[in-house]
Each structure stands twice: as C-alpha cells, then as structure tokens.
Amino acid sequence: MIEGKINIVPLTIENIEDVNATNDYFTVFGRLIPTFNGRIWTHEEELFNETKEIKFPDDHLNWEEFLDNGDKTLFFAYMKGKCVGQIRMIKARNRFCYIENIAVIKQARKQGVGTELLKVAEKWARERNLAGLSLETQNDNLGAIRFYIRHGFELGGVDTHTHMKNPNIDIALYWYKPL
C-alpha cells in the first residue's frame, strides 16, 4: 500500500515514460446484466464463483500528440514520487469528454486516486464547455462499474459488437455523467 498526498500533473516530455506504469492487474469477480425498458437502463449484478486477475495490454500511442493539445490530454497521479494513476481523455464528437483510460495501480486503490483523477476530467470538460464525461467498460469489470456508479455515471448504452473479435470481452457498456 502506498499512502500520502496525491499530486495530479499533466503529461510532459519529462514524465512520458510513466504512460504504462499504471497498467496493473485487476480482479474480475462478477458482471453487470443490463436491461433496457423504454428509455431507462436498469441492471443487476451477477457474482462469479471464481475470480481471476487480468491486465490490459500496454498502450502504444504517439504520446507527444497529447502534449499541449486542447482536444486530448493525459494526467498522472503521483504519491511519494511514484506514478500511481492516470486518466487519458479526448473531446469526443458528441461534446462529451470521453475517458479513454483511467487506471490506478493495485497498491494505491481505495485511497482516492481515481476520485481525484475524475475531478481533473470534470474540470477539463467544464473548461471546454462539454456536456459531461463518458467512458466504456466491459460488463465483467464489476469493480470499475461500481466505482463509476458511485461517482454519478449512468448507463447510457450497450454494444455487443464493439469487441466481437475479442473472445475475452462479451459486452461493452457506455457510461455518461452529465455536467
């Protein structure tokens, strides 16, 4: 466990090597089962009998495109000089701030890092007069889903085809938080 003050800083040439430092394992312990009734999404949880640890592959983007760019950005969270979290976002066509990635290392979870990163996203979105925040999760990432719901995100859509070529992903869930 890493404890201490959380410092949020933007991506710079000096910290660009920390881009994949926050890609850590997370526990898959259940899934969300969405239901659409008219214009309202409801959902229930199904817990798995067995859990598993998974990790997404590292991202390999042109990170310099995120430097001083009004339409996309990346922020890091540091505790005691160690990179413990990141949030990467873009100004989407639908006038939402789309969070492409938010990640916190396992040792720093449940210490407010993710909450602080979401605050940065909200500030960034407001500065651009965007309608709110949006993001995608997979239906079996129940830990992340619970985090987003606690922070005011609402399920806005489900897509069974986004990841149809990926045998490890069943359903994409799209979440929105109007500002």
Side-chain angles (χ1 to χ4, degrees):
M1 180 181 264
I2 299 173
E3 294 182 6
K5 184 177 186 279
I6 302 165
N7 295 312
I8 309 290
V9 299
L11 174 72
T12 64
I13 290 293
E14 292 76 29
N15 64 16
I16 206 164
E17 72 277 355
D18 288 334
V19 166
N20 287 308
T22 59
N23 188 13
D24 206 350
Y25 284 90
F26 61 95
T27 304
V28 173
F29 58 89
R31 70 183 178 131
L32 196 81
I33 302 169
T35 304
F36 189 64
N37 296 316
R39 292 186 47 86
I40 308 278
W41 283 102
T42 59
H43 45 79
E44 58 185 61
E45 294 181 357
E46 175 187 19
L47 300 179
F48 299 148
N49 291 328
E50 294 183 27
T51 64
K52 63 181 175 180
E53 296 284 310
I54 65 170
K55 178 180 173 180
F56 290 119
D58 285 348
D59 289 317
H60 300 285
L61 301 174
N62 180 355
W63 301 113
E64 292 183 10
E65 288 182 3
F66 287 81
L67 297 169
D68 300 316
N69 186 327
D71 291 338
K72 57 178 141 180
T73 192
L74 190 150
F75 286 88
F76 293 115
Y78 289 89
M79 294 173 80
K80 295 188 176 180
K82 179 178 171 97
C83 183
V84 297
Q86 74 156 266
I87 190 163
R88 185 175 75 232
M89 52 208 158
I90 63 169
K91 182 178 165 184
R93 291 183 309 232
N94 65 355
R95 306 261 325 129
F96 271 79
C97 167
Y98 180 74
I99 299 170
E100 292 183 323
N101 186 39
I102 181 171
V104 176
I105 65 169
K106 194 173 245 186
Q107 296 171 310
R109 290 183 191 147
K110 300 194 184 296
Q111 296 182 54
V113 176
T115 298
E116 291 303 311
L117 291 168
L118 284 178
K119 287 178 184 176
V120 168
E122 286 184 22
K123 181 178 185 283
W124 190 82
R126 282 190 173 98
E127 289 170 351
R128 283 153 185 77
N129 295 314
L130 300 178
L133 307 179
S134 67
L135 55 86
E136 175 208 335
T137 64
Q138 293 74 46
N139 67 319
D140 67 350
N141 192 349
L142 199 50
I145 290 166
R146 288 176 174 176
F147 172 78
Y148 300 130
I149 290 171
R150 274 195 316 273
H151 286 85
F153 283 81
E154 300 171 1
L155 184 61
V158 173
D159 191 332
T160 59
H161 287 77
T162 297
H163 301 289
M164 63 190 275
K165 296 287 185 180
N166 185 337
N168 300 313
I169 299 175
D170 185 25
I171 297 173
L173 304 175
Y174 293 94
W175 299 88
Y176 295 86
K177 181 178 182 181
L179 295 178

